[in-house]
């Protein structure tokens, strides 16, 4: 090795290094049986050094090409070598060497000259952070940030809070209510986005299987909190409806209940698609249900039809704030309660006799185990099939729709949908992409960016690093975007 063209080698018999030549250069000590020889190729500066028994012997070659392959030359018959490509710890402290180079690369990034544009860049970053907070509905935080940084929020706070509430409905599995709230607050949005409407309806069917959507929840004699995978959601049964409406709408009178969403007789949605209506509307009591929320930092005590100056303050502490609680993939855990995908258990319930432990944890059932709810789910599925067929006639075949519908309907083929090949659909985390798609569509309908500039910038930076790695720029290995997000 090293004698042939484009080959490089370190020989044990004389300790010389060879670079495309039969004439070697003095480099290091000789090595023999029992020695551990390492070879480190640095793709950042295109150099190579060898190690002997964990000690670096210094740079052997420079200006190396990127397409190198490891080779070992054996001279005596019966010789054996053990090759370690990282499956075992190296004798040489490669981690310390990598830390050294990581620090060099990060220092180069930090020393990048900004010059006179510092103020301009700071203003740009502040606007990006502000738009990110607004995009995800962090209304109070965005307001506080704008006040401190003297930035302007492009969207009205009422609109931000409306989007926030719709997102919370989707994340709570109450998709039917989210659809109605969207139709009420943003008329025509879903009708002009049939793909989004179909996605929402398929998700609503999944939530009906899960027992979380109000289409099936309203059939229960009571509205147990056990179905809520996300905290902060009130009872969904119309008879338990609150008189407090948080949906910002004007000109509404004579409210009626449908899926737990405040609607009006004067404003009705006229969709050209088959109506997937709620069979529970006729069973509503005279007290209208509404979209309301309870949070750890919420002290909302306003009453229906009452709009005091306090309740209209955009930065009031009584306003619902999504960042008030942390939802790790739809699961909230603390010392007193545990909420996990349709199961709500108080600590006192868990503190039972071991012999009755199984009885205290009943198996989840389709639509909460209610026969009427199951019938409603099947009817909803028929209506969803009709919607799919109409969209197919109007826009042609759609393989994505077909797969979405098949996956949703496949849940009914199993006695335990939560533990089946397609059961991942019931995981609360699957609500997040649906929530993001609806939020982006609402923003786009208001002539606002459907993606926050901060996320676009991060995506572009990550893609840039991937392209650098593809062309062999080794320094990108130590320039991770995540390192600069803390």
């Amino acid at each position: 090795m090293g004698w042939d063209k484009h080959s490089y080698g370190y020989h044990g018999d004389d300790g010389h290094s060879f670079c495309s030549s039969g004439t070697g250069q003095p480099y290091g000590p000789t090595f023999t049986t029992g020695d551990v020889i390492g070879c480190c190729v640095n793709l950042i500066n295109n150099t190579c050094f060898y190690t002997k028994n964990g000690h670096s012997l210094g740079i052997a070659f420079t200006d190396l090409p990127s397409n190198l392959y490891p080779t070992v030359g054996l001279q005596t018959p019966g010789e054996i070598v053990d090759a370690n490509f990282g499956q075992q710890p190296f004798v040489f402290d490669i981690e310390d060497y990598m830390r050294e180079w990581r620090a060099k690369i990060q220092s180069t990034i930090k020393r990048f000259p900004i010059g006179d544009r510092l103020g301009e860049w700071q203003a740009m970053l502040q606007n990006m952070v502000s738009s990110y907070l607004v995009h995800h509905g962090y209304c109070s935080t965005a307001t506080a940030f704008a006040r401190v940084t003297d930035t302007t929020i492009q969207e009205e706070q009422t609109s931000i809070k409306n989007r926030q509430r719709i997102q919370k409905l989707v994340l709570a599995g109450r998709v039917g209510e989210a659809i109605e709230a969207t139709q009420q607050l943003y008329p025509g949005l879903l009708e002009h986005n049939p793909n989004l409407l179909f996605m929402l309806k398929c998700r609503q069917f999944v939530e009906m299987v899960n027992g979380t959507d109000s289409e099936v929840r309203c059939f229960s004699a009571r509205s147990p909190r056990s179905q809520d995978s996300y905290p902060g959601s009130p009872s969904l049964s119309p008879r338990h409806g609150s008189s407090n409406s948080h949906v910002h709408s004007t000109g509404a009178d004579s409210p009626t209940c449908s899926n737990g969403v405040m609607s009006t007789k004067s404003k009705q949605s006229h969709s050209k698609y088959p109506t997937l209506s709620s069979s529970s509307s006729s069973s509503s009591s005279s007290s209208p249900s509404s979209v309301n929320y309870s949070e750890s930092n919420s002290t909302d005590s306003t009453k229906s039809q009452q709009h005091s100056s306090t309740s209209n303050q955009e930065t009031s502490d009584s306003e619902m704030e999504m960042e008030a609680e942390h939802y790790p993939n739809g699961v909230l855990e603390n010392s007193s309660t545990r909420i996990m995908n349709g199961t709500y258990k108080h600590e006192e319930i868990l503190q039972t006799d071991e012999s009755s432990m199984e009885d205290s944890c009943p198996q989840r059932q389709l639509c909460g185990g209610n026969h009427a709810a199951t019938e409603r789910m099947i009817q909803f599925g028929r209506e969803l099939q009709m919607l799919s067929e109409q969209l197919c006639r109007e826009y042609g075949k759609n393989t994505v729709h077909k797969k979405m519908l098949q996956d949703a309907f496949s849940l009914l083929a199993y006695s335990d949908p939560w533990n089946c090949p397609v059961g991942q659909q019931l995981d609360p985390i699957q609500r997040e992409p649906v929530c993001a798609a609806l939020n982006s569509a609402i923003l786009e309908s208001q002539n606002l960016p459907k993606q926050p500039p901060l996320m676009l910038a991060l995506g572009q930076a990550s893609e840039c690093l991937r392209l650098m790695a593809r062309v062999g720029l080794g320094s990108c290995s130590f320039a991770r975007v995540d390192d600069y997000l803390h």
Side-chain angles (χ1 to χ4, degrees):
M1 294 177 297
W3 292 3
D4 298 325
K5 191 175 183 179
H6 303 305
S7 67
Y8 308 84
Y10 167 38
H11 291 196
D13 56 349
D14 56 11
H16 288 185
S17 62
F18 294 80
C19 175
S20 304
S21 172
T23 303
Q25 301 293 328
Y27 171 65
T30 60
F31 58 89
T32 184
T33 303
D35 288 327
V36 178
I37 306 299
C39 177
C40 178
V41 178
N42 187 327
L43 297 179
I44 298 176
N45 60 6
N46 297 320
T47 62
C48 167
F49 68 88
Y50 294 91
T51 65
K52 179 180 178 180
N53 298 326
H55 300 284
S56 174
L57 303 180
I59 300 296
F61 308 108
T62 59
D63 300 321
L64 293 175
S66 58
N67 55 338
L68 294 173
Y69 303 91
T71 57
V72 177
L74 303 178
Q75 199 169 28
T76 306
E79 286 184 333
I80 299 175
V81 294
D82 288 328
N84 179 16
F85 292 96
Q87 70 271 24
Q88 297 175 353
F90 293 115
V91 178
F92 175 71
D93 191 353
I94 190 67
E95 293 299 329
D96 183 66
Y97 181 74
M98 292 174 65
R99 278 192 296 269
E100 176 186 340
W101 273 96
R102 183 179 291 108
K104 289 181 181 179
I105 298 301
Q106 293 179 350
S107 176
T108 301
I109 295 174
K110 292 178 181 178
R111 291 199 313 267
F112 182 82
I114 297 177
D116 298 334
R117 300 186 62 188
L118 177 60
E120 178 185 343
W121 285 24
Q122 285 180 335
M124 183 186 302
L125 289 173
Q126 289 170 353
N127 285 327
M128 292 173 72
V129 172
S130 176
S131 64
Y132 177 86
L133 295 173
V134 169
H135 177 91
H136 290 288
Y138 302 136
C139 188
S140 296
T141 304
T143 301
F145 183 82
R147 185 166 53 248
V148 171
T149 59
D150 196 24
T151 55
T152 303
I153 297 178
Q154 301 297 324
E155 186 180 4
E156 293 183 2
Q157 290 195 19
T158 299
S159 176
I160 299 173
K161 291 172 183 176
N162 285 336
R163 286 192 299 104
Q164 182 189 66
R165 294 182 175 98
I166 291 173
Q167 289 180 75
K168 288 204 71 169
L169 285 171
V170 176
L171 293 176
R174 299 157 61 181
V175 183
E177 297 177 62
I179 292 174
E180 290 203 17
T182 302
Q183 290 172 334
Q184 178 186 4
L185 295 168
Y186 306 97
L189 171 64
L190 297 180
E191 188 170 284
H192 292 94
N193 290 270
N195 290 334
L196 175 60
L197 174 63
F198 189 77
M199 177 195 297
L200 287 168
K201 291 296 184 181
C202 285
R203 187 66 216 178
Q204 184 180 3
F205 181 86
V206 172
E207 297 299 345
M208 292 174 74
V209 174
N210 205 21
T212 52
D213 191 81
S214 59
E215 285 271 5
V216 296
R217 287 285 298 278
C218 63
F219 286 98
S220 302
R222 60 186 179 86
S223 186
R225 297 176 67 187
S226 61
Q227 300 293 344
D228 289 324
S229 298
Y230 279 71
S233 300
S235 63
L236 299 179
S237 176
R239 70 194 62 170
H240 293 103
S242 167
S243 61
N244 180 20
S245 174
H246 291 270
V247 175
H248 291 256
S249 59
T250 58
D253 54 7
S254 301
T256 59
C257 173
S258 178
N259 277 350
V261 176
M262 184 76 75
S263 60
T264 66
K265 293 181 180 179
S266 59
K267 284 188 178 182
Q268 294 184 359
S269 175
H270 300 281
S271 174
K272 65 178 181 178
Y273 301 115
T275 302
L276 281 69
S277 60
S278 169
S279 62
S280 62
S281 300
S282 60
S283 64
S284 303
S285 65
S286 59
S287 176
S289 180
S290 62
V291 182
N292 66 26
Y293 310 87
S294 60
E295 299 195 36
S296 59
N297 68 339
S298 175
T299 57
D300 195 335
S301 59
T302 59
K303 295 183 179 180
S304 179
Q305 311 299 330
Q306 183 179 12
H307 301 279
S308 65
S309 59
T310 303
S311 64
N312 284 331
Q313 291 179 355
E314 300 300 346
T315 59
S316 172
D317 290 337
S318 66
E319 293 295 350
M320 174 193 60
E321 204 46 41
M322 286 183 71
E323 65 264 37
E325 299 180 15
H326 179 59
Y327 306 146
N329 290 347
V331 177
L332 172 69
E333 295 188 36
N334 54 44
S335 59
S336 60
T337 61
R338 178 171 182 159
I339 305 173
M340 183 175 295
N341 195 22
T343 303
Y344 185 100
K345 300 175 184 176
H346 287 280
E347 283 296 327
E348 53 266 25
I349 296 178
L350 293 177
Q351 296 172 356
T352 58
D353 185 73
E354 292 183 1
S355 61
S356 61
M357 183 64 76
E358 292 185 2
D359 295 335
S360 67
C361 303
Q363 184 179 4
R364 292 171 293 188
Q365 293 179 300
L366 195 70
C367 298
N370 186 284
H371 179 73
T374 303
E375 290 292 333
R376 175 58 195 138
M377 178 199 63
I378 294 174
Q379 176 61 29
F380 187 92
R382 294 192 185 102
E383 296 166 356
L384 184 56
Q385 177 66 36
M386 290 172 57
L387 176 60
S388 174
E389 292 171 357
Q390 179 168 344
L391 292 176
C392 185
R393 288 193 299 269
E394 293 184 9
Y395 301 100
K397 293 183 179 180
N398 190 314
T399 56
V400 176
H401 286 185
K402 182 178 179 181
K403 177 70 164 54
M404 202 180 300
L405 196 64
Q406 286 179 344
D407 287 347
F409 286 172
S410 295
L411 291 169
L412 304 183
Y414 301 90
S415 58
D416 184 4
W418 292 268
N419 296 292
C420 73
V422 292
Q424 75 279 357
Q425 296 176 87
L426 298 169
D427 192 323
I429 198 174
Q430 300 301 326
R431 300 167 184 166
E432 295 179 7
V434 178
C435 179
L438 178 56
N439 186 48
S440 295
I442 293 174
L443 287 166
E444 195 171 20
S445 71
Q446 304 298 305
N447 296 318
L448 295 170
K450 64 178 182 179
Q451 292 294 334
L454 180 60
M455 298 307 298
L456 293 176
L458 291 175
Q460 290 172 348
S462 298
E463 181 61 24
C464 180
L465 290 174
R466 282 192 289 268
L467 292 174
M468 291 170 63
R470 195 174 302 168
V471 298
L473 296 177
S475 57
C476 67
S477 300
F478 299 117
R480 297 175 62 252
V481 175
D482 292 346
D483 292 338
Y484 299 91
L485 299 180
H486 304 292

